[in-house]
Amino acid sequence: GGADGDRIAAWLAQQRRRQALVDELAAAFAAQQDARISTLSQRIDALNAAGTAFAARHGLGACARTVA
């Protein structure tokens, strides 16, 4: 509860934002929008890094692992 709950809620919101960006990325690929693909890919990478760091700090081991 409390601060932990707030942190988890923020992390979940970040995951929803990441999923929305992934959906946008799929549309950009379908439309062959190279500049948009690059921008979205960078934003997704940044959210992935932030999410992984959060998970590692808060003992969410499975979530902290990245997929190569």
Side-chain angles (χ1 to χ4, degrees):
D4 286 341
D6 290 344
R7 284 190 290 267
I8 294 295
W11 181 78
L12 290 172
Q14 183 181 58
Q15 298 312 301
R16 287 190 292 273
R17 282 193 301 275
R18 189 188 65 78
Q19 185 57 53
L21 289 174
V22 169
D23 293 344
E24 287 184 48
L25 181 61
F29 269 107
Q32 298 180 344
Q33 298 171 323
D34 292 341
R36 186 147 175 77
I37 290 167
S38 177
T39 298
L40 289 167
S41 294
Q42 291 173 15
R43 290 176 64 192
I44 290 166
D45 288 347
L47 281 175
N48 284 344
T52 298
F54 173 92
R57 279 193 311 273
H58 296 285
L60 303 170
C63 297
R65 286 194 288 276
T66 58
V67 178

